[in-house]
Amino acid sequence: MNGAPRTRLLVVGNGMAGARTVEEILKRGAEKFDVTMIGDEPYGNYNRIMLSHVLAGESGVDDEDLLLNPMSWYRENGVTLFAGDRAIALDRFAKSVRCESGRIVDYDVLIIATGSNTFFPNMDGLREPDGRLARGVFGFRTIADTNGMLQMAASQDDLRAVVIGGGLLGLEAAYGLRTQGLDVDVVHSPGHLMNQQLDERGGRLLRNKIESLGVGVHTSKRTTSVLRDESGRVAGVGFNDDTSLPADMIVVTAGIRPSVEFARGGGLVIERGIVVDDQLRCEDEGSIYAVGECCQHRGEVYGLVAPLWEQAVVLAEHLSGANPSAAYHGSRLTTKLKVAGVDVAAMGVKGPEREDDEFVQFYEPRSGTYKSVVVRDGKLIGATLLGDISKANFLTQAFDEKVPLPDERISMLFDMGTPTAATGAAELADDVQVCNCNGVTKGAIVACVHAGAKSMGDVTAATRAGKGCGSCKGLVADILACAAGGALEADPAADWYVPSIPLSKPALIDVIRERGLRSVSQVFTELATDGSEDVPSKMPLASLLRTIWGPDWVDERGALFINDRVHANIQRDGTFSVVPQMKGGVTTPGQLRKIADVADKYNVPLVKVTGGQRIDLLGIKKEDLPKVWGDLDMPSGFAYGKSMRTVKTCVGSDFCRFGLGDSTALGIALEDRFQGLETPAKLKLAVAGCPRNCSEALCKDFGVVSVGEDKWEIYVGGAAGAHIRKGDLLATVVGAGEVLRVAGIFIQHYRESAQWLERTYAWVPRIGLEVLQRTLIEDAEGIVEGLEQRMQTSVDGYRDPWQDRVEQKSPAQFTPSLPLLPLPQVPVR
């Protein structure tokens, strides 16, 4: 840039459109911009398309699939992200944006990417007097919506749900909730399902498919009210024909509306959305742009992701100067997706509109297949495929007028002279979008192969193709095979523990033990492909060395994340949170007095009771950490690391009249034995004294439930965070001692075989419950004794890390290095 000033680029909205636009801009001119983003959700950018998979409890969905841009991406690309803060006011003349927290952010160029909101029709009983949605009513747009539904679904048996809206999102919600075990009904005002994409006959066939899943379907019914019982709880929905349906949960998927409140408050021109020109510039503005579902271009607003990708590219070309005259001319929408397990492809019109339109239709209810095409003046203007979408690629090209239509129109629906699916992949034009979820074209995949990609993993890592709904994976594989001139190569790196060392985790452990490698630098020198260090591999290798050698590993500070260096959890403002250990959630008046004294002495701004039954002191300065630990004189609760965190317990049999087992004592014993153990990802335990499960043991990594007569059920692989999963019943054992033994071999096996950051909710399904039972309970492979020995060695090596206050690891360990950021204080209520 030769010293040219950098443009302050502010993006309001951290969703798929905003983040994708920033990605495209950084590709073309990262050196030209100081990028700041504001997002009202407390996460990085995530893939909303995957929420339906999360709701359906599909085990293959993990954080990596859900998060398109994790927090590390923003740091690595120099993007300042204000997450969990909402932009509320735009001053176009001062060129600044004010946030809900009071933060003011100035800009030279502003991009508004506020997306859209769930549309909630006016209905009696939908909201509480203060305007909040009634408890039990949900939209389906965010992680919070999804988690809310999952938590309610897991909270009790025999729940009934009504989904209002029988479009794509509504059917996905119904499918997911049905998978969670709820009785589900879909209510839809129009006469058939997915009326935006399907004609009546296609909708009828889809209805048969949905009903075969056990979901009730009610069309031509308009919902007019949410019914409540005497206590105010949701009890059902009422219709305009005076009928009703019972329901405990109501999910509203009756459409979306562009989120334009921020833009409207700033005085921008709003119609259906924020009005923009062909360069996505807001009307009458020279430095404000809008992109995504919030904008209106040539009278159209879009609710699918493909147009967002096209808009992002055009805006990036224009702003970066790569092509200042780049222009967006609208999108031709082709939809190819899987709805509630049913393949659907649709493009253009649904049926003939003129007397001379050609219309070819195939309908076979027995197989659940429906196909139709509409041709006008020799051009394909519409197609619908349901059940069998093998001709979707050819029809997409025909719709884009890139291939001629056959004289026999019926051959457009079957392999009668038109290309097969395989040859269709080879003949696709380069600009055909293959992965709609991530906006990846065939040309991008081919270029990736020509650049050296040889496997599906290579292509996915470079382009994200196939990381959305997954319906394009077959086509991506076909294109990869064609471009590579042969069959796919198996991905040799798929099983490697870290990318730079060609060894699986078990093999790597064996080599490290055999050669006595105790530091990360030693591992790199002896085992890395070229002997050089790979930064992303440092943390997983450090974790592995601590797992193998315990306190006898060689601690190299540069291989550790800041949390592991200072044994506390860094916060948004640069301060740290301190969580002392409270085994089993049990504390004493003396400990509480110490905590209160420390909070007063160090002016701790927030003292918070955690979900793990501990007390969190937030806002501690780095340099104060050793003094705080000393004054507390309590061990670390390990609330910051990839390690065994806590054991949550209920009151147990001593006090609770329902208690069947002493859950508190067992919880303390578990935490006492496994405290601070290094694990591939955080590990949470819980013990419940009866099947009422007050300590939420069914959704922990390792949960124990007393069923009476000193018997304990052991559940593994549960989760209740960004993912919700009920644990699998590994075994029922007798006696607390046997629980401790099984916990030890389970945790040690997890430590030695799970990938870095792989939570048990992913590891258990990947390994398989039956395999774990044979391996750990039946000892079919004869490894249990070794697991027990290595676990005992690790337990013996426990050391409270807060003893670093006495003997610091380095002079800079507790020296402040970054200025603190002012954060809004939690209001006193």
Side-chain angles (χ1 to χ4, degrees), residues 257-296:
R257 296 290 184 271
S259 177
V260 297
E261 291 76 14
F262 169 76
R264 179 179 282 121
L268 299 178
V269 177
I270 309 295
E271 293 177 358
R272 296 170 61 201
I274 306 168
V275 178
V276 297
D277 62 16
D278 286 355
Q279 292 179 324
L280 289 311
R281 184 187 296 102
C282 295
E283 191 163 305
D284 299 329
E285 292 296 328
S287 57
I288 303 179
Y289 300 79
V291 66
E293 293 176 348
C294 65
C295 76
Q296 173 186 325

Side-chain angles (χ1 to χ4, degrees), residues 486-507:
L488 284 180
E489 280 189 14
D491 187 353
D495 294 329
W496 296 356
Y497 179 63
V498 292
S500 57
I501 300 174
L503 292 171
S504 66
K505 186 173 183 180

